Amino acid sequence: MKLLYEGKAKKVWEIDAEKVLIEFKDDVTAFDGLKKDQYRGKGLLNKKISDYFFKILEKNAIKTHYIRSVDDRNFEAFRTTVMPLETVVRNYAAGSFCKRYGIEKGKKLSKPLVEFMIKSDELHDPLICEDTILLLDLATKEELEYMKRTALKVNEILSSELEKAKLILVDFKLEFGKNSNGEILLIDEITPDTCRFWDSETFESLDKDVYREDKADLLSTYEEVARRLEL
Ligand code: 5GP
């Protein structure tokens, strides 16, 4: 199979004009690739967790690229052209939100916030406002509204699912792509690499922050997430 793309945590292989294979690697990076490691088995865990979330979203009528699981490390997905934006939803103050606005970590936001960032390692994924997105033709008004509406729906669905596992969905990043019919699909992965999960009682991190901040072992943290989701 032809390798279409290799990212920090995944590879995308061409199946045909309509479909790709998404392979989860064992690599982990943080701070735009400055910190880099490998954890044997991380790819399998993230693939399993992603399968689980995509299936739940599909059941709830969210259009995603997910087609089917192929094996431990790979799933089949619809091929899309990736939109040049990252969509972040926040329920609690953490990460770049705290840094940007000087807000204390852990504060619950009065309502979920959707932010857009330009997808660019070189520029360090800068925050972009909706008018600038339109001005730069990065998406149309309809596309933006669709992404925002979908991101908030995803937030509701995943938050209530995670609550059952005694996890708070603090924030997460989504990516969208356009298929050959111009339809927008939710793509990429949904994993502890792309979301912040906190234990609902102790508020301890059960996501990539343990690696970013050297707080705990990444593999056993991701195993704990999978265990709580009964995977
Ligand atoms: P922040 O903007 O606070 O760094 O991130 C907000 C949320 O989106 C976090 O859950 C974080 O893991 C996720 N996120 C934001 N940008 C990226 C990115 O470039 N890669 C990954 N894997 N996750 C991201």
Side-chain angles (χ1 to χ4, degrees):
M1 261 187 281
K2 187 172 142 196
L3 182 65
L4 294 175
Y5 167 82
E6 176 158 9
K8 292 170 212 141
K10 294 187 301 299
K11 287 182 187 172
V12 179
W13 301 90
E14 179 179 55
I15 297 178
D16 58 34
E18 305 291 325
K19 288 185 278 179
V20 290
L21 192 73
I22 312 273
E23 177 188 336
F24 286 75
K25 306 197 296 184
D26 284 337
D27 300 2
V28 59
T29 66
F31 314 117
D32 293 323
L34 282 179
K35 185 171 175 178
K36 207 170 174 177
D37 285 283
Q38 255 197 355
Y39 288 85
R40 249 178 110 87
K42 181 215 173 223
L44 307 192
L45 282 161
N46 270 359
K47 189 280 178 169
K48 198 153 69 171
I49 295 169
S50 241
D51 271 353
Y52 171 77
F53 285 132
F54 275 123
K55 283 182 187 164
I56 288 175
L57 293 176
E58 284 284 341
K59 253 192 228 155
N60 283 276
I62 303 287
K63 286 185 179 160
T64 80
H65 70 155
Y66 185 84
I67 303 174
R68 67 180 183 101
S69 169
V70 171
D71 58 33
D72 280 1
R73 203 174 273 282
N74 300 278
F75 69 69
E76 206 175 277
F78 292 114
R79 197 165 173 171
T80 63
T81 306
V82 180
M83 310 272 298
L85 298 167
E86 295 187 341
T87 306
V88 168
V89 181
R90 300 182 190 275
N91 296 305
Y92 287 77
S96 71
F97 184 84
C98 292
K99 249 193 231 155
R100 191 175 309 117
Y101 302 117
I103 310 262
E104 199 185 329
K105 179 179 164 185
K107 190 175 157 42
K108 190 174 192 317
L109 307 181
S110 58
K111 62 178 191 154
L113 174 71
V114 181
E115 294 179 330
F116 294 103
M117 276 92 176
I118 302 182
K119 249 175 87 74
S120 164
D121 281 349
E122 214 173 90
L123 301 175
H124 311 293
D125 300 343
L127 185 71
I128 182 167
C129 75
E130 295 185 30
D131 281 344
T132 314
I133 293 176
L134 299 177
L135 195 89
L136 297 179
D137 283 329
L138 300 178
T140 66
K141 198 163 174 49
E142 291 70 34
E143 288 168 348
L144 260 187
E145 266 153 27
Y146 178 82
M147 289 193 278
K148 211 163 155 175
R149 208 168 53 241
T150 305
L152 288 170
K153 257 195 248 167
V154 169
N155 185 44
E156 269 180 35
I157 298 163
L158 298 189
S159 291
S160 72
E161 205 55 41
L162 286 157
E163 211 181 300
K164 296 180 210 159
K166 298 243 178 324
L167 290 170
I168 296 172
L169 181 58
V170 174
D171 58 27
F172 57 96
K173 184 254 311 182
L174 297 178
E175 300 212 10
F176 291 92
K178 231 188 282 186
N179 69 13
S180 49
N181 302 323
E183 264 184 323
I184 299 185
L185 306 181
L186 179 64
I187 62 164
D188 199 45
E189 64 179 287
I190 306 172
T191 63
D193 275 10
T194 62
C195 304
R196 285 196 174 93
F197 303 132
W198 290 346
D199 179 279
S200 55
E201 273 161 27
T202 64
F203 283 62
E204 78 177 304
S205 292
L206 290 161
D207 56 56
K208 199 163 107 176
D209 274 351
V210 302
Y211 173 75
R212 292 188 186 103
E213 298 168 21
D214 281 319
K215 284 194 290 202
D217 175 58
L218 178 137
L219 212 56
S220 43
T221 301
Y222 287 23
E223 273 164 0
E224 174 63 12
V225 172
R227 191 192 65 75
R228 290 195 191 195
L229 297 173
E230 297 176 3
L231 303 178

